[in-house]
Amino acid sequence: MHELAICQALMDQVDQIVLEQHATGVAKIILQIGPLSGVEPHLLKQAFPLASAGTLAEHSLLEIKPQAIEVECSKCSQRTLAKPNRLVCGACGDWKTRLISGDEMLLESVELICEEEMNHV
Amino acid sequence: MCDTCGCNITDGNAHLVKPGGKLSLTASGNEAVSVLRSLLHENDHAAAHNRSHFDEHGVLAINLMSSPGAGKTALLEATIQALGDRYRFAVVEGDLETENDAERIRRHGIPAVQITTGSACHLDAHMVHDALHELNLDDIDVLFIENVGNLVCPASFDLGQHLNVTLLSVPEGDDKPAKYPVIFRVADLVLLTKADLLPVLDDFSPEKAEQNLRNLASEAPLYTVTVKSVLALESWLNWLKAEVKAQRARVAKGETSQPAIQPEGAALHESSPL
Ligand SMILES: Nc1nc2c(ncn2[C@@H]2O[C@H](COP(=O)(O)OP(=O)(O)OP(=O)(O)O)[C@@H](O)[C@H]2O)c(=O)[nH]1
Ligand SMILES: [Mg+2]
Ligand SMILES: [Zn+2]
Ligand SMILES: [Zn+2]
């Protein structure tokens, strides 16, 4: 299960952002995960409590936004939705397509908790 | 370090990157920081760093991936036997529990580094970087990285290789590209291994395997091979020779290359090693 390793890498990035922004904690972490990233959202969720324990993001919420797979056909130029193991053009059926989205493995944003006394600067 | 490098801003999410700063307030008064960076950002940097090491020393690096026992080590042994006079090979072994594979390679007089990082299910760029310290890259033409036998986890981690080769052995069945699309989609070459078993396992259809691969929009060549005969390795050996030549031409021009399928953000790291 590589999701734990990926989750630990996420926690390092989040901790760094908390320090850079002089925040005191993290309310929410938002990710974008596409089906072709090779990462299973539910395994990531399972790994999260373990990976976040003892970090500045302990007890924060993890939101995972699933991403749709979209391909662009090199023959007819149409953009259509596709399935992970069928990335063919939905319009003309040609198999030579380019992936537009669906392989995301992104940290979209982090909602930080900033305490009052830190705001008067 | 590279907040402005724009890694992982894809066509699909570019609209989320709004002008006017990264910070905004949420309804609850918290500060929201927009990041849009790969979860494997650090790994991607380390991989780019490895790749620039390879290019500096004129090494071609190939990542071999497959399920356990599909024939990665056997293929390497046969390749060393066939082309050992022509190229200087080295192998990084991702068999994390035993030294067996590294020992099999060393028996052929080829340097092999065993990565021993516990029972991980994949290699990452940092592990490969550590292993490189045990090799003299100036003495190597082709470095094979034999990944951990696993059809899921290795696919997500860039190691700094120039090419991905995914093996599908005949006993596994021709439907594997449809069941494990991620690892077959990132392959620059797919090898159908243990082809000597095709007469026994007659429900395996190489045509179906290829169709399943094309359904992933993959243009990668697919060769049918077996280590039981040198003749049946020719397509693979010719591919390898052509790739060594292509790498030498790139190195001469100061260029590099990476596997055809990349998370879009990772491509942006090529010009910014660590
Ligand atoms: N019949 C036949 N057997 C093969 C061939 N290639 C490999 N094998 C056998 O398959 C078994 C596994 O081969 P390995 O080379 O160890 O496979 P691997 O992918 O390196 O295995 P792991 O590193 O453990 O994932 C061994 O018993 C090999 O002899 C082949 O072309 N034909
Ligand atoms: Mg092996
Ligand atoms: Zn089309
Ligand atoms: Zn970057």
Side-chain angles (χ1 to χ4, degrees):
Chain A
M1 191 180 93
H2 57 303
E3 280 79 3
L4 181 59
I6 290 173
C7 212
Q8 281 161 343
L10 164 68
M11 300 331 295
D12 290 344
Q13 282 198 53
V14 170
D15 269 5
Q16 201 188 331
I17 291 165
V18 172
L19 296 173
E20 274 169 15
Q21 303 293 332
H22 308 289
T24 51
V26 179
K28 193 176 184 180
I29 298 171
I30 302 178
L31 309 182
Q32 295 178 15
I33 304 289
L36 287 171
S37 66
V39 179
E40 279 296 328
H42 75 276
L43 293 178
L44 212 50
K45 286 221 151 175
Q46 272 177 24
F48 184 70
L50 194 62
S52 63
T55 71
L56 294 166
E58 193 168 0
H59 309 306
S60 61
L61 275 177
L62 179 68
E63 181 184 329
I64 300 181
K65 292 186 180 170
Q67 304 293 303
I69 299 178
E70 196 184 7
V71 295
E72 186 180 270
C73 181
S74 53
K75 200 173 183 185
C76 75
S77 306
Q78 294 254 37
R79 287 190 179 190
T80 51
L81 294 176
K83 287 197 288 192
N85 59 9
R86 230 184 127 67
L87 302 175
V88 300
C89 173
C92 77
D94 201 77
W95 61 267
K96 289 187 181 171
T97 63
R98 185 173 72 92
L99 194 73
I100 300 299
S101 71
D103 63 347
E104 296 82 356
M105 195 201 303
L106 293 179
L107 171 55
E108 180 184 301
S109 64
V110 181
E111 248 181 71
L112 300 172
I113 301 167
C114 301
E115 268 164 21
E116 282 307 309
E117 59 268 20
M118 307 210 55
N119 282 345
H120 66 252
V121 206
Chain B
M1 178 165 46
C2 53
D3 288 0
T4 54
C5 76
C7 358
N8 283 294
I9 296 169
T10 64
D11 292 357
N13 66 29
H15 63 282
L16 290 168
V17 190
K18 303 175 208 86
K22 282 174 135 192
L23 287 175
S24 57
L25 283 184
T26 65
S28 51
N30 289 332
E31 261 182 20
V33 184
S34 163
V35 187
L36 283 176
R37 205 158 58 181
S38 167
L39 299 185
L40 289 174
H41 190 73
E42 280 306 313
N43 183 77
D44 294 345
H45 272 280
H49 181 74
N50 289 348
R51 198 171 287 115
S52 56
H53 272 312
F54 297 140
D55 294 331
E56 257 168 54
H57 299 273
V59 175
L60 174 69
I62 299 179
N63 176 32
L64 292 181
M65 298 182 287
S66 79
S67 62
K72 298 179 293 300
T73 311
L75 178 78
L76 292 180
E77 292 184 272
T79 305
I80 290 163
Q81 269 172 353
L83 296 178
D85 295 339
R86 189 172 176 141
Y87 304 123
R88 297 165 303 168
F89 293 107
V91 181
V92 170
E93 279 293 346
D95 165 13
L96 301 176
E97 296 289 349
T98 72
E99 280 267 342
N100 294 356
D101 286 1
E103 277 161 14
R104 277 165 69 185
I105 298 296
R106 286 186 200 121
R107 251 176 252 148
H108 299 268
I110 298 297
V113 182
Q114 185 72 48
I115 293 184
T116 46
T117 332
S119 55
C121 48
H122 61 272
L123 296 181
D124 69 29
H126 296 100
M127 296 177 195
V128 171
H129 187 261
D130 289 346
L132 294 184
H133 286 298
E134 294 178 41
L135 293 168
N136 186 353
L137 292 181
D138 281 329
D139 295 341
I140 299 169
D141 297 314
V142 181
L143 178 75
F144 289 112
I145 304 167
E146 180 180 335
N147 219 309
V148 182
N150 184 319
L151 279 182
V152 180
C153 307
S156 303
F157 296 82
D158 186 6
L159 308 176
Q161 72 276 23
H162 299 103
L163 294 159
N164 285 325
V165 176
T166 303
L167 281 62
L168 166 59
S169 67
V170 164
E172 292 171 70
D174 53 29
D175 59 350
K176 290 305 165 290
K179 286 189 176 166
Y180 300 92
V182 179
I183 206 149
F184 283 96
R185 194 178 83 89
V186 299
D188 296 290
L189 170 68
V190 174
L191 293 177
L192 286 187
T193 60
K194 310 193 188 181
D196 55 292
L197 300 177
L198 278 170
V200 196
L201 300 161
D202 53 5
D203 60 336
F204 186 103
S205 155
E207 293 73 30
K208 265 193 215 148
E210 172 149 19
Q211 189 53 53
N212 286 329
L213 180 67
R214 299 300 163 232
N215 283 344
L216 308 178
S218 164
E219 299 189 40
L222 180 140
Y223 302 143
T224 303
V225 299
T226 161
V227 299
K228 301 290 174 190
S229 115
V230 195
L231 270 184
L233 276 178
E234 211 161 69
S235 51
W236 150 251
L237 297 175
N238 287 337
W239 178 89
L240 185 59
K241 288 181 207 165
E243 290 298 341
V244 173
K245 207 170 155 194
Q247 169 68 352
R248 286 180 177 163
R250 282 191 298 266
V251 167
K253 284 190 276 181
E255 293 170 0
T256 187
S257 109
Q258 53 188 138
I261 303 292
Q262 286 286 319
E264 275 172 284
L268 295 161
H269 278 114
E270 286 317 290
S271 52
S272 61
L274 285 181

